[in-house]
Amino acid sequence: MDFEWEPPSEAEMKILEARRERSDKISKLMGDYLLKGYKMLGSVCETCDTILLEDKQAMKYCIACQELDTDTDKDDPVMSSSAARSLTEERQGVTQGSRTFPAASSTSGRRAVPQGQQPSPLSIDPRLGLYEEGAKKAAKPASESLEVWPNPDYSSALDSLCEKIRWASEELKASSSVEYSIQLCNLIKASADAMQSLKSSQS
Amino acid sequence: MDNNQGTELKLLDFSKSLQIARALESLVLRGFGPQGLQTLMCTSTGQVLVTNNGATIFNALHIGHPAGRLMVKAIDKMIQYTGDGSKTFIVMLSEILQQIDRKYTEKDRGKMIREVTHFTHNVFPVLQKQVLDHSRTSSLINDKKAFCDSFDGVLRSVISPHYSARVVENLVTTVTSSFNFDLPSDHFYEQVSIITRNLSQFVVKTVGPSVTDSTTLDSFIIQRDFALHLNLCPMEKVRFVILMCSIEEQVKQEDNESIYLSTNDSLRNFMLYQRKRVDKFAQMCVEQKINVVISSVGIPKYCLQVLASRNISVIHYLEEEDVEFLSQMCRKHVILEFPRVQFTEKEIFVASSCQRVIIGGKPCVQLTPCGEGLAPYTKTLILAAPTDSLCGQLYTVIHKAIKSVYLSLILSEGPSCSSATIPGGTSFELMCSHFLTTGRWCKSKTLVNEGVQMASILAGAFVGVARILHRNVTETTQNQTRDFLIKLSRVWKRDADMNSLHCLGFDRRGTLRDMDKEGVLEPIALKFHLVSCLMDLLCTLLKTDGIIGT
């Protein structure tokens, strides 16, 4: 009913704009691949509903899943432990630098750190603490494992994956952000796929 | 990655169509306008292609998606008629779909279809009338100089995206010189029509040092690099016949006649009979003063010797298209069967000269048909380029330009041939966008609300075309969008002040100018046909909500 229609909120507008930008990026990449000789198929990807391409070896290719999302995944601390570690190190470097650097005087016009107060690391970004925790957990050797595997490397990898899934599940319960929740779900799915691959390769 | 294949129906929503249109648009965006860049791509055969011709790029792609193929096919069909406009088409389609995707949902399909239909039947004719009232029309008889300027302007606007300014002027002069402007109106129109439909017969492609080496040559050129048996000295007052049958009798396969030729006697009798036929043919030629025989089939050596002994020159293995073209041009008949007593008058062609020439290192025959009832044509265009593929591209561009020129001509009662053009540089698009935005078409309409949304969408699409041209011709600056909007407001303000639609467009540097004075013109019929095809395709896409494809 028209009377029930409400204009989209600012957040919804931002989401729509982000989706359009993503669609434009996909179209641009699709054009580049068409020039390289890829074929545009009439089918769509089951995951993201993007039009599929096919290369000359008849391998199907989804631009969104295999390029756009992986591009962001490698830098996303939630999905990548190395990104989480580097972010944590960066944050630690910032906090150490802020502790050694003297507070700026108020006459210089710069923003001065109030005396007696130290910049709290967590105030910079509340998620950084979570990333640090995730990075620590990813680096922590597994204390227990679900199954006894003859290969210690596989056992260690499996434990890490289990820990990751557990942590992501806890984060998912607490999260109220749509985008963050989607990233956590992707992390859980990727971890489950990795576990499945490990089991199948071991068997 | 798993996905559904086979005969399962899949949804075609606005976003899918938009994604395909945007993908196709991204390929030709930078090639749009006089400063357009080229696209380098590989074809399926591994050949490297360098072009900015939209239709060439789209046809070289592998598109399996039904909606994508529909778009490319629509562009192809349009190009067959207009020759040009593929990039403008896809840009406008992309802009329209983008606006539809932003403003409407899938539930509004029916409403959009009604809008498109209403626009096509009610609003578009008003727009056409308005544009025609402000277009440039010049008659061949009454205002020959303006007519020739229009002719040049249309050629210039089509050729300029592909070559530099100096080369463009050279090509425009060369192509214009291949037309005879002194003919009566109806003959001139027929001349352009014949040349447009049979350009391959009027063009000789040759490898040369530069495109500026292109020139014209009198008469019709028969391109042969073998199978010429001509007297070395040029001939005048040539009478010739064209054969599409063999002089010799052919052995009938179905009767197994070859079996009966197995004995020496039967074979000897058969050969004697063949010789008699050739002698009879040669005698007929001598009696009726035929000095050249042109044949689409091969003539055996001993026949050539017999004919040479009677001073009859032969050109054989001619392509059937050339034969049919000569027949059509001279309005004479070719010989389809033999023997006979003599040639009829309708079968004897007349030429004022026939000589051997060398073009691009290949021996050719320069033949100048003459006589009553000859179709109006004048010269052959010799197109030169450094390589074969560049020659091919030059031919495509010239063909596009001549098609556009043909579209700009109108043959009215009288007969009178005129040229209807509109200034280039997106003057048409700016004019239409202003007309549709201000709603001037509403004054003569019954219902104000109908067609408003489609008019607004199309106005946005027209502005989009102008914006892309402006972006391609101006230097990249941070304030490019702002610069464009300022210029757009100037155009619209000027239109409002003058209470008319005056034609300002963007030149090669992005400056607003009266493109009529700059000599850059486009045929109005091309623009109207483009919008019409666009509306048809849009209607088809809106009516399609599901596809079945691999």
Side-chain angles (χ1 to χ4, degrees):
Chain A
M1 294 291 184
D2 286 345
F3 298 108
E4 296 174 358
W5 178 82
E6 287 178 6
S9 63
E10 194 178 331
E12 284 169 354
M13 288 296 292
K14 282 188 181 172
I15 291 173
L16 286 171
E17 196 57 43
R19 277 191 196 145
R20 276 185 211 123
E21 273 181 30
R22 187 169 180 271
S23 180
D24 287 349
K25 276 185 204 167
I26 291 171
S27 297
K28 175 80 175 58
L29 288 169
M30 200 178 289
D32 293 340
Y33 278 105
L34 286 173
L35 277 181
K36 287 177 192 171
Y38 279 57
K39 182 179 177 183
M40 182 193 287
L41 299 178
S43 49
V44 294
C45 173
E46 281 191 347
T47 312
C48 61
D49 211 31
T50 304
I51 293 172
L52 285 173
L53 299 178
E54 185 181 85
D55 64 8
K56 289 171 188 170
Q57 281 77 40
M59 295 294 294
K60 293 194 175 41
Y61 185 77
C62 175
I63 293 171
C65 293
Q66 297 191 19
E67 267 197 45
L68 280 187
D69 290 342
T70 51
D71 271 351
T72 54
D73 281 352
K74 71 178 188 301
D75 294 325
D76 189 351
V78 176
M79 304 294 288
S80 164
S81 57
S82 58
R85 258 186 242 111
S86 61
L87 199 64
T88 312
E89 284 161 10
E90 195 179 322
R91 186 177 60 78
Q92 283 172 353
V94 166
T95 48
Q96 281 173 7
S98 66
R99 279 174 194 157
T100 54
F101 195 78
S105 64
S106 56
T107 55
S108 67
R110 293 183 204 164
R111 235 184 259 174
V113 177
Q115 287 183 356
Q117 286 190 12
Q118 294 292 340
S120 166
L122 289 177
S123 66
I124 296 170
D125 191 339
R127 291 172 64 185
L128 284 178
L130 300 170
Y131 297 154
E132 187 183 0
E133 194 182 328
K136 282 181 185 169
K137 285 186 179 175
K140 194 177 167 185
S143 54
E144 56 185 31
S145 56
L146 294 175
E147 293 176 30
V148 177
W149 291 82
N151 193 333
D153 290 335
Y154 278 107
S155 172
S156 169
L158 200 61
D159 289 339
S160 301
L161 288 168
C162 291
E163 283 296 323
K164 200 56 121 179
I165 291 174
R166 201 172 297 132
W167 169 78
S169 305
E170 286 166 10
E171 287 303 311
L172 193 61
K173 280 181 202 169
S175 168
S176 60
S177 161
V178 172
E179 197 177 353
Y180 186 44
S181 301
I182 292 172
Q183 288 172 352
L184 289 170
C185 291
N186 286 335
L187 171 62
I188 293 170
K189 186 188 171 189
S191 303
D193 287 344
M195 286 175 71
Q196 188 67 31
S197 299
L198 282 171
K199 285 180 187 172
S200 58
S201 64
Q202 190 65 6
S203 61
Chain B
M1 186 175 300
D2 292 332
N3 60 286
N4 294 324
Q5 287 189 2
T7 57
E8 192 170 326
L9 187 69
K10 301 172 191 71
L11 179 68
L12 179 70
D13 52 13
F14 293 150
S15 62
K16 293 280 181 315
S17 303
L18 173 63
Q19 203 168 64
I20 297 168
R22 288 302 282 252
L24 294 176
E25 186 200 21
S26 68
L27 302 176
V28 297
L29 218 51
R30 286 293 175 186
F32 188 65
Q35 310 281 27
L37 303 175
Q38 306 271 0
T39 300
L40 174 68
M41 56 188 297
C42 266
T43 63
S44 56
T45 55
Q47 188 186 9
V48 172
L49 199 63
V50 178
T51 180
N52 70 351
N53 185 336
T56 306
I57 293 171
F58 295 145
N59 284 323
L61 301 175
H62 299 284
I63 297 180
H65 197 287
R69 282 164 68 173
L70 185 68
M71 291 178 197
V72 171
K73 205 164 176 100
I75 292 172
D76 231 3
K77 285 284 180 191
M78 185 193 75
I79 292 298
Q80 280 176 17
Y81 178 67
T82 63
D84 196 16
S86 54
K87 294 194 277 287
T88 309
F89 186 96
I90 196 65
V91 166
M92 285 190 66
L93 179 68
S94 178
E95 292 283 328
I96 290 172
L97 288 173
Q98 189 174 16
Q99 292 190 56
I100 291 175
D101 185 51
R102 279 190 181 181
K103 295 177 186 174
Y104 304 101
T105 63
E106 292 296 321
K107 292 182 292 185
D108 299 319
R109 271 186 193 264
K111 181 181 166 191
M112 287 310 304
I113 292 168
R114 285 193 298 276
E115 285 276 332
V116 171
T117 311
H118 179 86
F119 179 87
T120 307
H121 291 136
N122 298 314
V123 181
F124 189 43
V126 178
L127 175 65
Q128 283 177 304
K129 186 177 175 307
Q130 192 70 23
V131 170
L132 279 169
D133 289 344
H134 294 87
S135 64
R136 172 185 175 155
T137 310
S138 45
S139 165
L140 176 62
I141 300 170
N142 301 331
D143 194 357
K144 192 171 174 183
K145 187 183 177 309
F147 182 88
C148 294
D149 288 343
S150 293
F151 201 90
D152 287 355
V154 172
L155 289 174
R156 193 176 291 116
S157 78
V158 177
I159 299 174
S160 61
H162 304 278
Y163 298 100
S164 64
R166 186 181 66 85
V167 174
V168 166
E169 290 309 313
N170 188 285
L171 285 172
V172 165
T173 310
T174 305
V175 172
T176 310
S177 66
S178 66
F179 291 88
N180 183 1
F181 289 85
D182 295 325
L183 293 172
S185 281
D186 53 346
H187 287 177
F188 180 81
Y189 187 83
E190 191 186 355
Q191 175 193 220
V192 179
S193 167
I194 289 172
I195 291 175
T196 306
R197 287 198 310 268
N198 303 288
L199 189 66
S200 57
Q201 266 83 37
F202 282 100
V203 164
V204 173
K205 290 179 247 182
T206 178
V207 175
S210 166
V211 173
T212 50
D213 288 336
S214 302
T215 183
T216 55
L217 204 60
D218 282 331
S219 317
F220 181 72
I221 302 293
I222 298 172
Q223 299 182 62
R224 297 276 79 198
D225 52 0
F226 62 94
L228 280 180
H229 300 275
L230 274 177
N231 292 331
L232 289 176
C233 51
M235 287 180 274
E236 293 178 352
K237 294 182 184 171
V238 177
R239 285 163 64 89
F240 63 97
V241 291
I242 300 182
L243 298 178
M244 284 189 83
C245 62
S246 172
I247 301 173
E248 293 180 306
E249 183 173 336
Q250 299 297 312
V251 174
K252 296 186 189 63
Q253 295 295 327
E254 57 271 18
D255 290 344
N256 290 322
E257 193 169 357
S258 57
I259 296 173
Y260 298 116
L261 296 174
S262 58
T263 65
N264 283 340
D265 283 343
S266 56
L267 186 59
R268 196 181 299 120
N269 291 337
F270 179 76
M271 292 309 296
L272 280 173
Y273 172 67
Q274 297 284 48
R275 178 58 196 263
K276 275 184 188 169
R277 276 171 69 107
V278 174
D279 281 338
K280 185 180 174 187
F281 178 80
Q283 191 58 34
M284 275 166 57
C285 291
V286 168
E287 284 169 5
Q288 292 186 274
K289 295 177 186 166
I290 305 292
N291 40 15
V292 175
V293 170
I294 297 178
S295 170
S296 64
V297 297
I299 294 178
K301 269 190 180 172
Y302 76 93
C303 296
L304 292 173
Q305 285 165 356
V306 169
L307 292 170
S309 66
R310 313 289 178 104
N311 285 327
I312 298 170
S313 299
V314 173
I315 306 165
H316 58 155
Y317 294 111
L318 204 70
E319 288 186 14
E320 286 195 11
E321 287 90 10
D322 285 349
V323 166
E324 284 169 13
F325 178 73
L326 271 174
S327 168
Q328 188 188 4
M329 201 166 53
C330 302
R331 296 191 174 123
K332 298 274 188 182
H333 299 153
V334 298
I335 296 170
L336 297 171
E337 59 178 7
F338 187 77
R340 52 182 57 212
V341 177
Q342 62 175 7
F343 305 115
T344 63
E345 268 311 303
K346 272 289 195 180
E347 288 170 343
I348 299 176
F349 294 69
V350 181
S352 58
S353 71
C354 177
Q355 61 181 354
R356 187 197 297 254
V357 293
I358 304 290
I359 298 175
K362 294 180 185 176
C364 301
V365 176
Q366 187 178 7
L367 186 70
T368 313
C370 63
E372 291 179 6
L374 192 67
Y377 84 104
T378 49
K379 297 181 183 179
T380 299
L381 202 52
I382 311 293
L383 296 179
T387 64
D388 280 337
S389 59
L390 289 174
C391 234
Q393 285 184 28
L394 176 59
Y395 173 80
T396 306
V397 170
I398 298 298
H399 197 188
K400 235 173 44 166
I402 292 178
K403 260 189 191 172
S404 297
V405 158
Y406 176 59
L407 272 182
S408 71
L409 298 180
I410 305 170
L411 188 67
S412 47
E413 288 183 11
S416 169
C417 181
S418 348
S419 165
T421 55
I422 193 145
T426 64
S427 302
F428 170 80
E429 285 80 7
L430 290 171
M431 182 196 302
C432 292
S433 65
H434 188 225
F435 179 77
L436 293 171
T437 308
T438 52
R440 294 181 191 188
W441 53 271
C442 283
K443 290 176 186 172
S444 57
K445 291 290 99 203
T446 51
L447 294 168
V448 175
N449 289 333
E450 282 188 5
V452 170
Q453 293 179 19
M454 195 62 225
S456 160
I457 288 172
L458 205 58
F462 282 130
V463 169
V465 172
R467 188 183 67 242
I468 287 167
L469 177 68
H470 178 261
R471 189 189 69 186
N472 285 353
V473 296
T474 50
E475 292 175 7
T476 307
T477 62
Q478 289 182 351
N479 298 323
Q480 207 173 47
T481 306
R482 181 174 143 265
D483 188 29
F484 171 73
L485 291 172
I486 290 171
K487 287 174 184 171
L488 186 66
S489 64
R490 268 176 48 201
V491 171
W492 286 6
K493 185 176 181 305
R494 182 178 174 172
D495 290 348
D497 290 344
M498 295 173 68
N499 199 21
S500 67
L501 295 177
H502 205 72
C503 305
L504 285 183
F506 295 112
D507 66 0
R508 277 180 176 264
R509 289 178 206 82
T511 314
L512 272 178
R513 284 188 195 284
D514 185 348
M515 298 307 283
D516 196 346
K517 291 177 185 168
E518 294 291 311
V520 178
L521 302 168
E522 291 171 331
I524 292 181
L526 187 153
K527 294 294 185 186
F528 290 163
H529 189 74
L530 191 150
V531 175
S532 174
C533 289
L534 193 59
M535 292 293 109
D536 285 343
L537 176 63
L538 188 61
C539 207
T540 307
L541 286 172
L542 288 170
K543 286 179 181 173
T544 308
D545 63 353
I547 57 166
I548 296 174
T550 56

